[in-house]
Amino acid sequence: MKPFTSLFLGCLLFCFACETISNNPEQVVSSSPNINVGKAMVKAYHTGDWETYSMYYADSAKIWRNQNWSSHPGLSVDEYITELKLALERMDKYRFEGQTWENIINDEGDNWVLFWGVWVGHSPLTDKEYEIPVHVAFMIDDGKIVLQGDFFNDSELIMDMMALADTE
């Protein structure tokens, strides 16, 4: 390839890249109104204020907890909150630590909030503190969560609770 051709192609590629960047809004941010929804939910979760917690969801929201989105229909908000309450009955303290938040806009224009943190809970039944890394992804439309996926490995906690049940 001749030097002029290489320079021309390089400049053309650079101009195309600049045009692409300038025509696309920033697609990953670490602060946004959508992230504020997530932070408010975590606050309500910490205090057990389930009424406030539920107001951040659309009526038709679907939630998956360590489930395959394509083969499970998802939980309703009421079913999800019932599961959360049931799981927390075994805890006398719980909180999220090390929270990281991102708001992304995917190629389809959907707003997704991504959360990473460590759930820390103490069970008086086992007198043990559990640390469980958690990832939550939720799609927000018009300020309400419409889809959510929670991903975590609580097998140690489950095994301990099963062992307690066996001794009763």
Side-chain angles (χ1 to χ4, degrees), residues 11-25:
C11 288
L12 187 62
L13 182 60
F14 177 76
C15 290
F16 176 74
C18 289
E19 179 67 19
T20 300
I21 291 169
S22 67
N23 283 336
N24 290 321

Side-chain angles (χ1 to χ4, degrees), residues 45-74:
Y45 173 84
H46 283 163
T47 61
D49 182 354
W50 302 111
E51 186 175 325
T52 298
Y53 187 89
S54 67
M55 73 179 219
Y56 296 105
Y57 288 93
D59 292 339
S60 61
K62 290 295 178 191
I63 303 142
W64 290 266
R65 297 186 78 212
N66 286 332
Q67 296 153 323
N68 184 332
W69 295 31
S70 63
S71 64
H72 188 279

Side-chain angles (χ1 to χ4, degrees), residues 22-36:
S22 67
N23 283 336
N24 290 321
E26 191 167 1
Q27 293 193 301
V28 179
V29 295
S30 58
S31 65
S32 72
N34 291 335
I35 289 174
N36 292 341

Side-chain angles (χ1 to χ4, degrees), residues 109-127:
D110 299 323
N111 269 293
W112 284 90
V113 172
L114 307 177
F115 166 84
W116 294 268
V118 177
W119 181 89
V120 179
H122 178 268
S123 174
L125 302 173
T126 60
D127 193 30

Side-chain angles (χ1 to χ4, degrees), residues 83-141:
E83 281 196 12
L84 289 176
K85 288 179 180 179
L86 182 62
L88 294 173
E89 282 180 356
R90 302 172 240 156
M91 302 292 133
D92 59 358
K93 294 184 282 189
Y94 60 92
R95 66 192 178 282
F96 279 105
E97 293 182 348
Q99 299 177 34
T100 301
W101 297 88
E102 287 185 352
N103 189 154
I104 68 162
I105 301 171
N106 67 12
D107 291 343
E108 289 78 32
D110 299 323
N111 269 293
W112 284 90
V113 172
L114 307 177
F115 166 84
W116 294 268
V118 177
W119 181 89
V120 179
H122 178 268
S123 174
L125 302 173
T126 60
D127 193 30
K128 197 170 175 183
E129 187 168 271
Y130 298 89
E131 293 186 5
I132 301 171
V134 174
H135 171 62
V136 179
F138 47 92
M139 183 194 298
I140 294 186
D141 187 26

